[in-house]
Amino acid sequence: MRNFKYSFIVLLGGTMYGTMSSFVKLSYASGYHAAEISFSQALLSAVLLGLILLLTTGRTNWKKLAGKELVALLLVGGTIGLTNFLYYQSVSYISASLAIVILMQFTWFSLLLEWFIFRQRPGRLEMVTVLFILVGTVMAGNLLEADALSFSWQGMALALASAFTYAVYIVANSRVGKSVKWQSKSTLIMAGSALTIFIINAQPIVSDNHFGYTFLLWAVFLAVVGTTIPTALFAAGIPKIGAGTSAILMTIEFPVAVLCAYLVLHEAISPVQIAGIIVMLAAISVMNYYKSLKTKKGS
């Protein structure tokens, strides 16, 4: 039951995060760009999470953090900051549906990172699940169609880079700050995210004068729905169930993103894409079913 609880937490975070590409692309119609959107989203989220931290735990929780742990969590935040910025940049060049297809490569990136760095070879169940996820990705991304080749290579490269940094974030999040309360952990992660995005994009963020009432509404919405809540959920759930299982569960972002692109951006969705989404969801469900059976037998 405990594992199910934390699996659901990660799944919910992935669902919320999956809606973001469509709304970010919608915000571009108002003249905003990825740097200011991702920075304001991270900064507001850090402030909101910091307020939650002060209201729920007080200042004493900060004193328990060692210097190395604090820096490590800021660096973890830098990886999710890079992920958001690169991903938001990619939807400037390619469709939201195709961007999420490429982002989904974090699944095997994260498994490879765990294998190469920590010598944790993925089990047969995880490998089979990833195989079905990749098949579903090709189908749901409509990559078998001829016109799927007419995409921007720059957008593809940005989305692939975001997939790699996302995998680093998942692996690092599962290893760093396990004993730190989720309020402190998520606050530091988002502070690191905002700082990293600002360092990379200081010039356009400072010089572009888009900060007004409409922009603030976009920033608050994206910060709460797309960053604050998912980051808190990931900080609470990922360390409990591990990077491998988290990476597979978080593929829920894909069908959610495709569905959201269809409803919000009116991007076309074919029967093949729907079948691909079903394949992915079935693979995730089967994996979790068998993992729960193994947990019951081991207890």
Side-chain angles (χ1 to χ4, degrees):
M1 180 63 84
R2 188 169 178 267
N3 281 340
F4 174 80
K5 171 188 172 182
Y6 289 110
S7 294
F8 177 77
I9 284 173
V10 173
L11 201 65
L12 180 60
T15 300
M16 298 184 74
Y17 193 68
T19 65
M20 284 301 97
S21 58
S22 293
F23 290 111
V24 166
K25 191 153 189 171
L26 205 60
S27 75
Y28 291 163
S30 301
Y32 309 131
H33 54 71
E36 59 189 350
I37 287 290
S38 57
F39 171 69
S40 61
Q41 183 180 1
L43 183 61
L44 282 173
S45 182
V47 171
L48 291 171
L49 288 165
L51 289 173
I52 294 172
L53 168 65
L54 291 174
L55 291 172
T56 56
T57 64
R59 296 180 181 179
T60 55
N61 199 34
W62 290 100
K63 296 176 182 177
K64 299 177 183 178
L65 281 171
K68 288 184 179 179
E69 203 166 39
L70 189 145
V71 172
L73 286 170
L74 289 174
L75 290 174
V76 171
T79 61
I80 193 62
L82 281 173
T83 299
N84 287 337
F85 171 65
L86 293 168
Y87 184 49
Y88 292 174
Q89 276 276 73
S90 72
V91 298
S92 301
Y93 300 95
I94 57 179
S95 69
S97 298
L98 184 55
I100 194 67
V101 168
I102 306 305
L103 182 66
M104 282 303 101
Q105 306 317 303
F106 78 79
T107 306
W108 55 269
F109 272 142
S110 60
L111 291 175
L112 286 177
L113 284 171
E114 286 247 303
W115 190 359
F116 291 143
I117 298 174
F118 302 108
R119 305 300 179 190
Q120 288 190 359
R121 185 171 182 172
R124 185 178 298 177
L125 180 62
E126 288 177 319
M127 295 297 289
V128 171
T129 303
V130 169
L131 177 62
F132 275 99
I133 287 171
L134 290 175
V135 171
T137 295
V138 173
M139 295 169 64
N142 227 15
L143 299 181
L144 298 176
E145 298 293 328
D147 60 357
L149 298 177
S150 59
F151 47 66
S152 163
W153 283 105
Q154 187 174 357
M156 294 285 285
L158 287 166
L160 192 61
S162 71
F164 177 75
T165 56
Y166 199 16
V168 175
Y169 165 71
I170 294 169
V171 173
N173 198 352
S174 70
R175 300 274 176 171
V176 176
K178 280 193 171 185
S179 61
V180 181
K181 290 186 177 181
W182 70 264
Q183 296 96 327
S184 299
K185 183 174 182 178
S186 54
T187 300
L188 286 170
I189 285 174
M190 291 321 303
S193 175
L195 182 62
T196 301
I197 296 168
F198 184 78
I199 290 171
I200 295 172
N201 301 284
Q203 194 276 327
I205 289 172
V206 172
S207 61
D208 293 343
N209 188 21
H210 289 152
F211 301 103
Y213 178 71
T214 303
F215 179 82
L216 182 62
L217 289 178
W218 273 113
V220 170
F221 169 73
L222 294 172
V224 173
V225 178
T227 310
T228 305
I229 298 176
T231 299
L233 293 173
F234 292 157
I238 290 176
K240 301 295 184 180
I241 60 176
T245 303
S246 296
I248 294 172
L249 286 172
M250 288 161 72
T251 56
I252 190 67
E253 294 170 23
F254 182 29
V256 169
V258 172
L259 181 62
C260 199
Y262 171 73
L263 295 173
V264 176
L265 301 176
H266 307 295
E267 292 183 4
I269 182 168
S270 68
V272 174
Q273 287 177 288
I274 295 173
I277 292 171
I278 293 171
V279 168
M280 291 181 66
L281 291 176
I284 293 169
S285 300
V286 169
M287 183 215 59
N288 281 293
Y289 174 72
Y290 281 107
K291 272 187 172 288
S292 65
L293 288 181
K294 287 177 69 176
T295 303
K296 286 180 181 178
K297 287 180 180 178
S299 59

